[in-house]
Amino acid sequence: MGKIITNSAQNYAQALFETGYNFEKDLETIQQVLSRCADFKNVISNPAVDLKTKYVILDEIFKGKVNDNVLQFIKILTEKNRLNEFEQIQNSYIEKVNNFNKMQNVEIISAIELNDETKNKIIEKLRAKLNKNIIPQWNINKNIISGLVFKIGDNIIDTSLLNKVESIGKNIR
């Protein structure tokens, strides 16, 4: 949510999505290796290292641990020098899978911790309004005073008291 995704990352994610849409865990495995192993990322991204060597390294690390289609995909990203966009590609791919499965990530911000009954009511209303299954991410921000803030993709619905007070202040000026 709210992450900038380049057109090329969206195109690569679409290509992977078209080969299958059950690769989230494989992509997470690769992302963990990329984020935890700076040496690996440096070698794979280094233009001085020939492509065959890079493929051997990728096979050594990922063969049997991720789907063969995903391994091929990573090799293509390596060949095209697009591994630096991997996180964007992963985010775009997850969005595509969620859309296909009629699921929507929603960040819900409240001033206080909400009880389960209230959370369930909010989720049900969102589900009915959006006609999608909701994947909620609950956060607390005491500064909003009361009300809720919903972040749905690039859209923000702000029903907080803080927003209303700021709005009144702007209108007075």
Side-chain angles (χ1 to χ4, degrees):
M1 272 183 303
K3 295 179 174 110
I4 295 173
I5 299 176
T6 63
N7 285 336
S8 65
Q10 289 177 10
N11 292 338
Y12 280 107
Q14 182 64 37
L16 182 61
F17 178 76
E18 289 173 4
T19 65
Y21 52 91
N22 200 14
F23 300 139
E24 295 97 309
K25 288 182 182 172
D26 292 339
L27 296 177
E28 183 58 34
T29 298
I30 293 165
Q31 179 59 37
Q32 286 176 356
V33 171
L34 288 172
S35 64
R36 292 181 184 163
C37 305
D39 290 341
F40 165 74
K41 192 171 182 178
N42 291 338
V43 169
I44 292 298
S45 301
N46 188 338
V49 178
D50 70 283
L51 202 52
K52 286 183 183 179
T53 303
K54 291 177 183 181
Y55 288 169
V56 168
I57 292 168
L58 290 169
D59 283 338
E60 192 69 34
I61 293 173
F62 295 116
K63 192 145 187 86
K65 294 180 182 79
V66 299
N67 180 287
D68 288 342
N69 288 335
V70 175
L71 181 56
Q72 270 314 114
F73 181 72
I74 293 303
K75 288 179 180 179
I76 291 168
L77 292 180
T78 301
E79 178 185 344
K80 303 290 184 186
N81 294 317
R82 295 290 187 175
L83 212 53
N84 60 324
E85 293 182 63
F86 184 80
E87 188 174 355
Q88 292 177 41
I89 294 167
Q90 179 185 18
N91 290 334
S92 180
Y93 175 83
I94 290 168
E95 273 183 26
K96 290 175 188 320
V97 170
N98 287 346
N99 284 337
F100 180 81
N101 292 321
K102 289 192 161 265
M103 300 181 80
Q104 179 67 55
N105 288 312
V106 179
E107 182 180 358
I108 305 165
I109 303 167
S110 60
I112 59 169
E113 180 66 37
L114 303 174
N115 63 37
D116 288 342
E117 182 182 346
T118 303
K119 287 180 178 180
N120 289 334
K121 285 180 183 176
I122 292 168
I123 290 170
E124 284 306 313
K125 286 188 179 192
L126 285 170
R127 181 180 295 136
K129 184 122 180 123
L130 300 173
N131 196 26
K132 292 186 177 185
N133 291 319
I134 303 303
I135 305 169
Q137 178 188 344
W138 301 96
N139 290 313
I140 296 173
N141 179 349
K142 294 178 195 278
N143 294 332
I144 68 171
I145 306 168
S146 71
L148 297 169
V149 177
F150 301 93
K151 293 183 180 180
I152 306 167
D154 293 333
N155 298 315
I156 297 174
I157 301 166
D158 191 340
T159 66
S160 70
L161 183 57
L162 175 64
N163 182 53
K164 290 175 183 166
V165 169
E166 286 175 349
S167 193
I168 291 169
K170 288 177 187 172
N171 290 335
I172 291 174
R173 288 182 213 154

